Amino acid sequence: MPYFDAASSAPLHPVARQALQASLDEGWADPARLYREGRRARLLLDAAREAAADAVGCRPDELVFTPSGTRALHSGIAGALAGRRRVGSHLVVSAVEHSAVLHAAEGRPVTEVPVDRWGAVSPGVFGEALREDTALACLQSANHEVGTEQPVAEVAERCRAAGVPLLVDAAQSLGWGPVGGDWSLLTASAHKWGGPAGVGLLAVRKGVRFAPQDPADERESGRAPGFENIPAIVAAAASLRAVRDSAETEARRLRGLVDRIRTRVPELVPDVEVVGDPVRRLPHLVTFSCLYVDGETVLHELDRAGFSVSSGSSCTSSTLTPSHVLRAMGVLSEGNVRVSLPTGTAEEDVDRFLEVLPGIVAGVRGRLGAPAAGGTSTGSGSLVVDALGKRCPVPVIELAKVIGDVPVGGTVTVLADDEAARLDIPAWCGMRDQEYVGESPAPVGTAYVVRRRG
């Protein structure tokens, strides 16, 4: 069964498995002790730290291991803000950061830097968001939902000029190569590159003001308290080195497969929007959204066909709200599919995915009653569609069904109380060359007005 969700968690790398099994026999003792078992464990931990630091591009004494990538982010943000509390508490982040960053920023003065339709920030706009009381800036190296790479080096220049440390979330990109630019802090997560879950990295450059917020602990320079999971750490470092050794060749191969998906899906499936930067992107990840389908059903059907994929669609979350990444980009959220290929993905698996996808999408659209192309009309100049209580993509489907019933210049008002409509109706207008007039509060929900152009 092809597994196409490496951006969530990559399969355990064979080198990680070997290192984990070997270090279980050697790395179980307390590395702080002076007897032989402790010294042996310390040697394993030090070697892992040196290997990880070499991959990150920092000094070994600048890097600590944490229980997860999320923990690394939370500790890095809290420690950097505390270390610069005399400057202020203002935080600058991109609007598409991982939810772990946004959660860590809650309750603090925050400026979210907008992104373009590809999901990238403008270095100039990011620089303008920095203030005298800005204590920390955060920017991911590449987005986990759409794969767009961020201009980290250019943003780092502006942060350095403003005297603001930059924390880079490198979880998605570190397996493919080091992060360039003069960053101050960096975090990553081992299970993203094929290491075991439960190991994160936090690098803090020398000279960066940092005050750990956990209770005092002698382990990991006081920045990650608790007994180190040495077997998992060794496996994480070993697998990082292994994937980096083959990264250039594998990236070239997977980029070719992803390019095939980016090109063929819009040709095979009508009404599809491929999102994310087509050039500055991770080599193994592609995301697209399909009109008139809900992502959860598509994912279930793909699973039945033998493919494990993910989604940022609003319909796959318990909150039924659009992905904050897709919302910030202003792209279609309904029917969202993220394909992220793990190392070693076979070409024939991608070909079979392209074979089964059109039929799955057509079947879901048929069950939901998705419309055919609209015709002409000389009917009423305005219509109101009551889609209250209906979830994505039904409000958009109902709009598409009736747009042909109003004359050119006429309007359709969609009443909806699903938050996804705020994103998907304007996106539908862009794909269908219709005019999105705007929205206004309704007695229940929101009224979205669309004017027919042709």
Side-chain angles (χ1 to χ4, degrees):
M1 178 173 179
Y3 177 78
F4 286 178
D5 196 21
S8 291
S9 189
L12 192 66
H13 195 282
V15 168
R17 187 183 301 278
Q18 295 167 5
L20 183 63
Q21 291 174 339
S23 57
L24 284 171
D25 294 330
E26 299 290 333
W28 51 267
D30 187 344
R33 302 307 174 194
L34 298 179
Y35 41 71
R36 71 171 63 88
E37 294 86 355
R39 295 197 304 272
R40 191 178 298 130
R42 169 56 64 181
L43 287 173
L44 288 173
L45 181 59
D46 288 346
R49 196 184 314 279
E50 290 177 4
D54 181 65
V56 168
C58 67
R59 293 168 34 164
D61 60 351
E62 293 175 328
L63 184 144
V64 299
F65 295 103
T66 67
S68 69
T70 294
R71 182 61 175 164
L73 281 168
H74 288 176
S75 297
I77 292 172
L81 289 174
R84 285 172 50 83
R85 58 186 175 275
R86 291 184 180 179
V87 173
S89 59
H90 179 241
L91 186 65
V92 175
V93 303
S94 84
V96 294
E97 292 301 303
H98 192 277
S99 58
V101 172
L102 302 182
H103 291 159
E106 290 176 356
R108 310 177 190 273
V110 179
T111 297
E112 286 193 7
V113 179
V115 296
D116 60 21
R117 195 168 180 83
W118 299 124
V121 299
S122 160
V125 174
F126 199 102
E128 292 171 358
L130 303 173
R131 309 186 321 209
E132 290 186 2
D133 64 336
T134 301
L136 179 67
C138 298
L139 181 65
Q140 59 196 194
S141 55
N143 186 261
H144 56 286
E145 285 193 31
V146 301
T148 297
E149 294 179 339
Q150 297 291 354
V152 173
E154 296 91 330
V155 169
E157 284 183 15
R158 286 163 171 79
C159 290
R160 179 66 62 179
V164 176
L166 175 66
L167 183 151
V168 176
D169 172 11
Q172 289 295 340
S173 73
L174 192 61
W176 299 108
V179 177
D182 196 10
W183 48 265
S184 302
L185 302 94
L186 181 142
T187 65
S189 187
H191 72 100
K192 300 293 188 180
W193 65 68
V199 179
L201 307 180
L202 170 61
V204 182
R205 297 281 199 195
K206 292 296 183 183
V208 175
R209 291 186 177 276
F210 192 89
Q213 294 303 287
D214 289 305
D217 193 290
E218 69 275 10
R219 301 191 182 268
E220 293 300 295
S221 304
R223 295 175 181 172
F227 197 94
E228 299 94 342
N229 186 346
I230 293 177
I233 288 171
V234 170
S239 57
L240 179 56
R241 175 176 285 177
V243 298
R244 289 283 284 274
D245 285 345
S246 61
E248 185 176 351
T249 300
E250 189 64 5
R252 190 181 307 114
R253 192 182 73 85
L254 292 182
R255 187 175 290 274
L257 296 178
V258 166
D259 284 342
R260 186 181 306 177
I261 297 173
R262 291 181 65 91
T263 300
R264 292 293 290 152
V265 167
E267 295 174 349
L268 297 169
V269 182
D271 299 319
V272 164
E273 181 180 18
V274 180
V275 300
D277 196 297
V279 178
R280 292 190 58 166
R281 58 176 172 82
L282 293 169
H284 68 305
L285 193 155
V286 56
T287 299
F288 54 89
S289 298
C290 309
L291 269 178
Y292 311 136
V293 301
D294 66 283
E296 186 174 14
T297 301
V298 171
L299 264 58
H300 283 320
E301 292 299 321
L302 284 170
D303 181 54
R304 292 177 62 185
F307 293 92
S308 302
V309 300
S310 184
S311 173
S313 172
S314 59
C315 296
T316 61
S317 71
S318 60
T319 59
L320 290 174
T321 57
S323 152
H324 73 279
V325 172
L326 302 178
R327 184 172 63 245
M329 294 169 62
V331 298
L332 184 70
S333 73
E334 65 184 61
N336 182 263
V337 176
R338 181 187 70 179
V339 174
S340 49
L341 307 179
T343 298
T345 295
E347 184 176 352
E348 50 267 30
D349 287 339
V350 171
D351 289 339
R352 193 165 73 83
F353 174 79
L354 293 172
E355 289 177 4
V356 305
L357 180 68
I360 286 174
V361 174
V364 175
R365 285 172 172 168
R367 292 196 295 274
L368 289 173
T376 60
S377 174
T378 58
S380 172
S382 64
L383 287 174
V384 176
V385 173
D386 185 352
L388 295 171
K390 299 176 181 178
R391 300 300 180 187
C392 70
V394 175
V396 178
I397 289 176
E398 295 303 316
L399 165 63
K401 284 180 177 179
V402 302
I403 193 68
D405 294 338
V406 298
V408 173
T411 62
V412 175
T413 299
V414 181
L415 302 177
D417 53 6
D418 179 13
E419 182 66 22
R422 179 165 283 110
L423 184 61
D424 289 344
I425 289 176
W428 178 88
C429 290
M431 296 177 71
R432 280 287 188 254
D433 195 27
Q434 305 295 342
E435 179 185 351
Y436 178 63
V437 177
E439 64 177 75
S440 60
V444 178
T446 303
Y448 302 92
V449 181
V450 175
R451 179 174 287 110
R452 184 181 177 189
R453 283 180 174 169

